[in-house]
Amino acid sequence: MELFYASLLGFFILFVTISLHFLFYKEKGGGTTAAAGRLPPGRTGFPVIGESLEFLSTGWKGHPEKFIFDRIVKYSSNVFRTSLLGSPAVVFCGSGGNKFLFSNENKLVQAWWPSSVDKIFPSSTQTSSKEEAIRLRKMLPNFLKPEALHRYIGIMDTVASRHFADDWEGKDEVVVFPLTKRYTFWLACRLFVSFQDQKQVERLEGPFGLLAAGLLSVPIDLPGTPFNRGIKASNFIRKELVKIIKQRKVDLADGKASPTQDILSHMLLTSDENGKFMHEADIADKILGLLVGGHDTASSACASIVKFLAELPEVYDGVYKEQMEIAKSKGEGEELNWEDIQKMRYSWNVACEVMRLAPPLQGAFREALTDFMFNGFSIPKGWKIYWSANSTHKNPEFFPEPKKFDPSRFDGSGPAPYTYVPFGGGPRMCPGKEYARLEILVFMHHLVRRFKWEKLIPNEKIICDPMPNPEKGLPIRLFPHKA
């Protein structure tokens, strides 16, 4: 049986890389002719497959940084050449590489991801997912800036309280990762489209899981495949969202909904530079993208926090003490507010250290828009460029004793610029960074107030596929605090 799965995995990788090779490498002309200068050191590995198998498998084994650091040592360079996902690629490492890429977004490089994404996120305006993402990022800052999020903390507090009452309390054991996914999805639905009824969330939760699985599957659109189920789930969710959007337009016209209550109202009432408003299907596209973006990374971070707090009782005690001081300052039924969040300094340092060791965003691809030089090496137009959070997060040059869990790294001004990048950086900095901070801290507040816990699988591995997640979902035994 193990041999069968190993063979199946090999076929999976071969098929994906061959498919992507013909989708991208051939389309871009291969980019094999470099500008004047020498290419970075490295090797392209096997034909078509390149080094994709090793790149992916180190994450599946729980050590995604191994691919990076092995080559930094081998080539004595923070820039090296490889071949990933069917295309020639260059990996930029260290704070210098991060700074260069983040500072040259849409100048020398642009975001890149497989065109198979467009099948799961087809645009009603016939633009690519990449173009849609750019448009979405332009309208998000006003909604997701800290001062705008202040008024949503109470809602986050209410959702978290209901989540723990429904899914954690009264249980001896729980499996954490499915629950953190449920929490972040419920919160996104509540804040982005004002879902009040849990049944509405549950109606979309199953299809949403299929959509997320489809994004990470082999891009084979045949009946019964995860990719095909992901496409169908995306279409179903989009139709449901259009119904919600139509009703919201009526409610806004009748004064039953507020123009500022959520991002859906914001999208309906905001025109572009030409005075045009978005169509319903276009808004559905963007809300769907937001639900994905507001769900995956935060759920991974919350699960990792549960893991580390179970392993480090002294860190748990520090978080518990801080959160209980805040809880004791509140009146009966009083919700958390912005001032309470600002008092959670140690808790946020702990969360930051968790995301340093298990960054929810492991890295991302860019594409060279033109030939350019970096560190004396030529980067040809069309080549893919990968930056890795682990190249700084787990590098002793930037974080002494990188394997040690030390929240004090984030005291004062914190790490040096471009070394701590769990949310990316530059123009591509995750626009939901502050939103993620709030939902993580509210989760921690409700968790430690209610429970201590222990892992049921002491040595459970954290795999990256592509985000960190516990191999078995992180089952834990709960020990409720006495009232």
Side-chain angles (χ1 to χ4, degrees), residues 330-363:
K330 311 296 291 182
E332 182 69 28
E334 185 181 356
E335 295 173 339
L336 291 172
N337 56 41
W338 181 252
E339 288 70 29
D340 298 323
I341 295 294
Q342 298 310 102
K343 296 174 184 176
M344 300 181 186
R345 295 185 182 90
Y346 180 73
S347 297
W348 184 239
N349 282 0
V350 169
C352 287
E353 181 69 342
V354 168
M355 290 188 286
R356 181 186 69 82
L357 289 166
L361 179 64
Q362 293 285 305

Side-chain angles (χ1 to χ4, degrees), residues 6 10 13 29 36 56 129 172 184 194 226 231 240 285 302 312 349 373 394 414 435 451 455 459:
I13 296 297
L56 296 170
S129 293
D172 296 326
T184 56
S194 294
I231 293 173
E240 292 296 307
D285 291 342
C302 287
L312 301 165
N349 282 0
M373 300 292 293
K394 298 181 180 179
Y435 170 84
F451 308 107
K455 293 166 59 179
N459 298 317

Side-chain angles (χ1 to χ4, degrees), residues 254-422:
D254 293 343
K256 296 178 181 178
S258 164
T260 60
Q261 74 181 54
D262 57 26
I263 200 165
L264 173 55
S265 288
H266 178 73
M267 287 183 176
L268 281 168
L269 299 173
T270 302
S271 62
D272 63 16
E273 59 273 13
N274 298 316
K276 294 183 179 179
F277 292 89
M278 286 189 288
H279 295 293
E280 293 163 357
D282 191 17
I283 294 174
D285 291 342
K286 291 176 174 56
I287 293 292
L288 182 55
L290 278 175
L291 291 175
V292 172
H295 166 267
D296 282 347
T297 53
S299 61
S300 172
C302 287
S304 294
I305 286 168
V306 176
K307 168 191 178 295
F308 279 99
L309 290 183
E311 295 170 348
L312 301 165
E314 71 283 0
V315 175
Y316 171 91
D317 289 343
V319 173
Y320 176 75
K321 179 182 178 182
E322 181 176 79
Q323 295 297 342
M324 287 308 296
E325 287 177 356
I326 293 170
K328 290 174 182 176
S329 71
K330 311 296 291 182
E332 182 69 28
E334 185 181 356
E335 295 173 339
L336 291 172
N337 56 41
W338 181 252
E339 288 70 29
D340 298 323
I341 295 294
Q342 298 310 102
K343 296 174 184 176
M344 300 181 186
R345 295 185 182 90
Y346 180 73
S347 297
W348 184 239
N349 282 0
V350 169
C352 287
E353 181 69 342
V354 168
M355 290 188 286
R356 181 186 69 82
L357 289 166
L361 179 64
Q362 293 285 305
F365 283 95
R366 300 288 187 265
E367 183 179 56
L369 292 170
T370 185
D371 297 334
F372 64 85
M373 300 292 293
F374 177 71
N375 275 15
F377 298 115
S378 175
I379 311 300
K381 178 182 178 180
W383 277 38
K384 307 304 176 280
I385 303 165
Y386 182 75
W387 66 266
S388 165
N390 286 312
S391 77
T392 53
H393 286 198
K394 298 181 180 179
N395 190 328
E397 178 184 350
F398 307 111
F399 294 95
E401 297 184 84
K403 294 182 179 180
K404 179 182 178 182
F405 192 94
D406 182 6
S408 69
R409 301 179 197 273
F410 297 90
D411 287 340
S413 59
Y418 301 103
T419 61
Y420 180 67
V421 288

Side-chain angles (χ1 to χ4, degrees), residues 7-139:
S7 301
L8 192 63
L9 177 62
F11 174 77
F12 169 93
I13 296 297
L14 179 62
F15 189 93
V16 172
T17 51
I18 288 175
S19 300
L20 292 174
H21 172 79
F22 286 107
L23 279 171
F24 305 116
Y25 183 76
K26 187 175 180 180
E27 178 185 349
K28 298 292 184 182
T32 54
T33 302
R38 60 193 178 103
L39 293 173
R43 60 187 292 270
T44 55
F46 296 105
V48 182
I49 295 176
E51 295 188 302
S52 300
L53 179 57
E54 188 173 357
F55 174 73
L56 296 170
S57 66
T58 54
W60 298 334
K61 294 174 183 176
H63 302 286
E65 71 278 5
K66 179 174 171 53
F67 181 88
I68 303 296
F69 288 120
D70 283 357
R71 284 156 181 77
I72 291 176
V73 172
K74 182 177 181 179
Y75 303 123
S76 299
S77 173
N78 279 330
V79 186
F80 61 84
R81 172 170 47 97
T82 182
S83 178
L84 300 172
L85 304 180
S87 293
V90 178
V91 179
F92 281 25
C93 305
S95 59
N98 291 342
K99 180 179 181 180
F100 181 88
L101 289 178
F102 299 157
S103 302
N104 285 286
E105 187 76 34
N106 299 322
K107 300 173 186 174
L108 299 178
V109 299
Q110 65 180 2
W112 177 86
W113 49 78
S115 64
S116 57
V117 171
D118 289 329
K119 290 190 175 182
I120 290 185
F121 292 110
S123 169
S124 61
T125 58
Q126 303 303 309
T127 55
S128 70
S129 293
K130 179 169 58 184
E131 293 171 306
E132 287 297 299
I134 292 172
R135 292 178 61 190
L136 182 58
R137 292 177 72 89
K138 290 180 178 179
M139 69 167 53

